[in-house]
Amino acid sequence: MTATVSAWRDEDFEGVAGLFDDLWGWELEGSEQEKRDISDLYIAGSALACNRLRVVRADGEVAAYLSSVFYENPPQGVGLENPQAFRQAASVFEARLRQTPFGRDSIEFNDRINDANRQLKADMIAKGFVWQGELKLLMTSPRHQGKGFARALIDETLEAMRAAGIKSVILYTDSHCNWQYYEKTGWTLAASLDWSFMNEPIRALAYWKESPRMEKTSGSSAVCYCPCRISR
């Protein structure tokens, strides 16, 4: 099946949140409402933090998704169509999660992820790394893995970054994700940080790549970030 990369439409939100739930919802031990609120809050927050969103649609559903940030020469009109509505919705999801112990743990976990990424960023800057773009979140539906959809999203996004004059790109991931994918496709490990949550060890990782040397990627699935199991 040929992958066609398409611009985001706000109506894609439910499908993208469903991808998150399909990939990681089984790891979460909360109620169905809590798990969906986690998915919705994470996707809304990720989309709000990015200025370029892309999807692959197949068989009438969103099959894959990639969000990214252009820190220089940001594109226009390729992010959320109504960001204010998403900010309001994210506030509702977060408020509901804060009412339960599992929800509060989930929010704390996400805050810890952000703290780890800030430390990785500081480490990269101290080492002299520079970048103008970032791949934020890449997901492929379990029903559509192995079809090249992730590869198509990465290639299309990196090509757009090259065209915008972006010379180097970063991404954050961790040891619970498919981090080996990036080492196989030419990314440089720029920083790492060991931490834990609820006694579960996690290694946060930051990868860097120079745009002029970005060859076509191989493989079909990769994730820039995924949550590890949260349990009480």
Side-chain angles (χ1 to χ4, degrees):
M1 179 183 296
T2 301
T4 300
V5 176
S6 304
W8 162 280
R9 300 191 299 256
D10 282 359
E11 64 193 58
D12 291 324
F13 174 75
E14 289 297 322
V16 174
L19 282 184
F20 186 99
D21 193 52
D22 287 346
L23 287 166
W24 299 302
W26 64 272
E27 291 190 317
L28 307 177
E29 296 179 0
S31 69
E32 289 304 311
Q33 181 64 62
E34 287 172 321
K35 289 192 287 186
R36 191 53 195 259
D37 282 343
I38 291 168
S39 299
D40 289 350
L41 178 60
Y42 189 80
I43 297 304
S46 172
L48 284 164
C50 296
N51 52 26
R52 192 173 192 271
L53 310 174
R54 284 291 187 266
V55 299
V56 172
R57 300 184 184 89
D59 301 331
E61 64 180 5
V62 176
Y65 166 79
L66 174 60
S67 60
S68 59
V69 183
F70 288 53
Y71 293 114
E72 293 184 1
N73 303 318
Q76 301 299 313
V78 291
L80 291 173
E81 297 167 329
N82 187 353
Q84 183 57 33
F86 279 80
R87 290 188 190 96
Q88 293 172 350
S91 295
V92 172
F93 304 143
E94 181 174 352
R96 197 154 53 207
L97 284 168
R98 288 191 182 279
Q99 294 175 9
T100 69
F102 177 81
R104 289 191 292 272
D105 286 344
S106 301
I107 291 171
E108 180 187 353
F109 177 68
N110 191 60
D111 290 343
R112 294 282 304 279
I113 286 282
N114 291 332
D115 287 343
N117 288 346
R118 280 190 285 269
Q119 293 182 62
L120 292 175
K121 179 180 179 180
D123 190 10
M124 286 191 290
I125 292 172
K127 292 176 179 177
F129 285 96
V130 295
W131 60 90
Q132 304 81 37
E134 180 180 344
L135 302 187
K136 279 281 190 181
L137 179 63
L138 174 62
M139 300 186 296
T140 302
S141 165
R143 294 180 293 280
H144 295 284
Q145 289 179 358
K147 299 178 181 178
F149 293 169
R151 182 181 65 239
L153 284 165
I154 292 174
D155 288 346
E156 191 269 349
T157 298
L158 295 183
E159 180 59 36
M161 287 183 168
R162 283 193 291 269
I166 288 175
K167 296 180 180 179
S168 54
V169 183
I170 62 165
L171 62 85
Y172 300 105
T173 185
D174 65 49
S175 54
H176 290 258
C177 303
N178 188 16
W179 56 270
Q180 298 94 336
Y181 176 89
Y182 301 107
E183 299 200 348
K184 293 176 182 177
T185 52
W187 293 76
T188 296
L189 178 61
S192 64
L193 175 70
D194 291 317
W195 62 288
S196 65
F197 189 76
M198 294 185 175
N199 299 316
E200 182 154 8
I202 302 168
R203 172 163 287 186
L205 305 164
Y207 284 91
W208 177 92
K209 197 169 190 180
E210 215 173 359
S211 294
R213 297 177 183 174
M214 287 177 179
E215 301 88 4
K216 293 293 184 179
T217 56
S218 61
S220 60
S221 63
V223 180
C224 297
Y225 161 69
C226 65
C228 71
R229 183 177 298 102
I230 301 173
S231 60
R232 290 190 61 80

